[in-house]
Amino acid sequence: MYCTRKICEDIYWVGSEDRRLALFENLFPIPRGVSYNAYLILDEKTALMDTVDRSVGGQLLENLAHLLHGRPLDYLVVDHMEPDHCATIGELALRYPQMQIVGNAKTIQMIRQFYDFDLEGRTHLVKEGDQLCLGAHTLQFVMAPMVHWPEVMLAYELKEKILFSADAFGTFGALNGNLFSDQVNFERDWLDDSRRYYTNIVGKYGPQVQAVLKKAAGLEINMICPLHGPIWRENLGWFLEKYDRWSRYEPEDRAVAVFYGSIYGHTENAANLLMNLLSEAGVKNIAAYDVSSTHVSHLIAEAWRCSHLVLAAPTYNMNLYPPMESFLRDMKALNLQNRTVAVIENGTWACASGKHMRGLLGEMKNMTVLENGVCLASSMKESQLDSMLQLRDALVASLNQA
Ligand code: FEO
């Protein structure tokens, strides 16, 4: 059965949801599922804005057949060539023989890389600023390289002032019928997953996101239609501000997040002690994560949110405890910067984890590592309380700076 939604005059959501997939990109847990959004414009010419993942391709085909009602599909606009959005291009090319595929030079190159069907005479190349008139509706193309792949482009629909934004402004989570962000409590129920999506998928490309935000600032936008998650038609400024902050690598909250690894509980005990001392000093809303049992995508999202990070980890094979090393390497790969970090290290016969954590942090941009650190030899001792208090005081002083 078709399952479509009208989002405004002549424009429909024709996507679908996946609540069966455990790992997005075979990497990121999505217990709330994910939506693959595609949009259909019915005008003198018809245009489909992107396709969907193969897992829900059948639903897209039913949706299209229902809304087109025997009309041809004139254009498929390919804003993004990652297979969660392009997997059904070949099937559509077969079903709609007059369909022209609209993309830039990189898009067409990637179609050839992924697929073997004949593109001869079926492509419509566009570049920055080009327009495609469908009748009453006209699409104008905005190149957005590396948000999140090099071929990515956005399409701005001039009549309704809709920005089809590709991966930008997307989020994990199935829609459950509430297609619009104003139909849910986004800040309470969606922001964490939205931050996790942004930081892990697009986080590395902050400068490129900044470039797109500058282009978007020159457009009057009534609605943002991303490829994942709710559509935005209210309170756009609030979400744009989040994107601006995330892509500048500025923390959202002046807050402490404690990330600890602990083999037998001794390093965790030291982390607990520090959290208690911080709380006694008036620090609120402390967050804590066991790096062994928390998926790294959540750790990354929290490192993006908080201004102050505490890293506590034991030495392992004369190096750093592997889950902490993995977290730090991910942080570096995703370009996280501008944080203040405190380090607690542990080692029973040769303590090396602190050196390795500081070394990895030193490879990142503008990470301030507090000089005061705590070095445990197996477990926290009362004789080390002073050094823990000094670390607490340094953290509090930094938190209280303007
Ligand atoms: Fe949802 Fe970069 O694909």
Side-chain angles (χ1 to χ4, degrees), residues 71-199:
R71 290 185 66 184
L73 179 60
D74 296 300
Y75 296 108
L76 166 62
V77 176
V78 182
D79 284 325
H80 186 15
M81 264 304 293
E82 194 163 7
D84 55 333
H85 307 295
C86 74
T88 52
I89 293 181
E91 180 66 28
L92 289 171
L94 283 175
R95 289 187 182 222
Y96 299 102
Q98 76 180 66
M99 178 187 86
Q100 290 282 300
I101 298 174
V102 182
N104 56 60
K106 287 197 177 79
T107 320
I108 305 305
Q109 177 195 330
M110 285 189 185
I111 295 176
R112 291 190 204 282
Q113 287 174 210
F114 275 108
Y115 306 113
D116 294 318
F117 61 86
D118 187 10
L119 281 170
E120 193 57 39
R122 303 204 62 172
T123 58
H124 181 103
L125 270 182
V126 294
K127 55 186 185 320
E128 180 77 35
D130 281 358
Q131 294 191 347
L132 177 67
C133 181
L134 306 173
H137 301 269
T138 296
L139 297 171
Q140 180 170 317
F141 298 96
V142 178
M143 299 302 126
M146 301 318 298
V147 184
H148 135 243
W149 278 17
E151 86 299 356
V152 169
M153 60 184 196
L154 319 184
Y156 178 65
E157 192 283 309
L158 276 74
K159 178 170 181 278
E160 302 290 345
K161 300 180 175 28
I162 297 176
L163 184 66
F164 294 98
S165 64
D167 272 350
F169 308 107
T171 175
F172 297 132
L175 294 165
N176 305 339
N178 289 136
L179 202 57
F180 297 94
S181 64
D182 52 274
Q183 296 175 326
V184 297
N185 188 330
F186 194 90
E187 188 163 8
R188 186 190 68 193
D189 299 331
W190 287 79
L191 180 59
D192 284 351
D193 255 345
S194 163
R195 187 187 302 105
R196 189 165 67 93
Y197 173 87
Y198 172 84
T199 56

Side-chain angles (χ1 to χ4, degrees), residues 102-322:
V102 182
N104 56 60
K106 287 197 177 79
T107 320
I108 305 305
Q109 177 195 330
M110 285 189 185
I111 295 176
R112 291 190 204 282
Q113 287 174 210
F114 275 108
Y115 306 113
D116 294 318
F117 61 86
D118 187 10
L119 281 170
E120 193 57 39
R122 303 204 62 172
T123 58
H124 181 103
L125 270 182
V126 294
K127 55 186 185 320
E128 180 77 35
D130 281 358
Q131 294 191 347
L132 177 67
C133 181
L134 306 173
H137 301 269
T138 296
L139 297 171
Q140 180 170 317
F141 298 96
V142 178
M143 299 302 126
M146 301 318 298
V147 184
H148 135 243
W149 278 17
E151 86 299 356
V152 169
M153 60 184 196
L154 319 184
Y156 178 65
E157 192 283 309
L158 276 74
K159 178 170 181 278
E160 302 290 345
K161 300 180 175 28
I162 297 176
L163 184 66
F164 294 98
S165 64
D167 272 350
F169 308 107
T171 175
F172 297 132
L175 294 165
N176 305 339
N178 289 136
L179 202 57
F180 297 94
S181 64
D182 52 274
Q183 296 175 326
V184 297
N185 188 330
F186 194 90
E187 188 163 8
R188 186 190 68 193
D189 299 331
W190 287 79
L191 180 59
D192 284 351
D193 255 345
S194 163
R195 187 187 302 105
R196 189 165 67 93
Y197 173 87
Y198 172 84
T199 56
N200 287 278
I201 307 278
V202 197
K204 179 179 174 62
Y205 306 109
Q208 290 86 347
V209 173
Q210 280 287 307
V212 165
L213 289 174
K214 284 194 178 67
K215 289 184 189 181
L219 302 171
E220 190 183 342
I221 300 172
N222 288 340
M223 198 182 286
I224 295 177
C225 291
L227 290 175
H228 301 287
I231 293 168
W232 288 80
R233 61 184 176 185
E234 289 182 12
N235 217 6
L236 272 60
W238 179 84
F239 202 40
L240 283 161
E241 195 276 333
K242 293 287 180 203
Y243 256 67
D244 180 44
R245 190 176 287 268
W246 292 338
S247 56
R248 284 186 293 108
Y249 304 97
E250 292 298 328
E252 277 168 88
D253 297 333
R254 205 153 182 82
V256 179
V258 178
F259 303 95
Y260 67 87
S262 195
I263 304 169
Y264 295 106
H266 301 100
T267 311
E268 181 180 4
N269 168 256
N272 283 335
L273 177 63
L274 176 61
M275 288 187 271
N276 277 291
L277 295 172
L278 285 167
S279 178
E280 283 172 0
V283 178
K284 295 177 180 169
N285 301 314
I286 302 166
Y289 300 93
D290 183 340
V291 296
S292 298
S293 59
T294 311
H295 192 271
V296 71
S297 62
H298 292 279
L299 306 178
I300 288 292
E302 282 297 83
W304 233 272
R305 182 179 67 81
C306 295
S307 58
H308 288 69
L309 318 179
V310 176
L311 306 178
T315 303
Y316 201 83
N317 285 333
M318 299 299 289
N319 209 309
L320 178 57
Y321 187 53

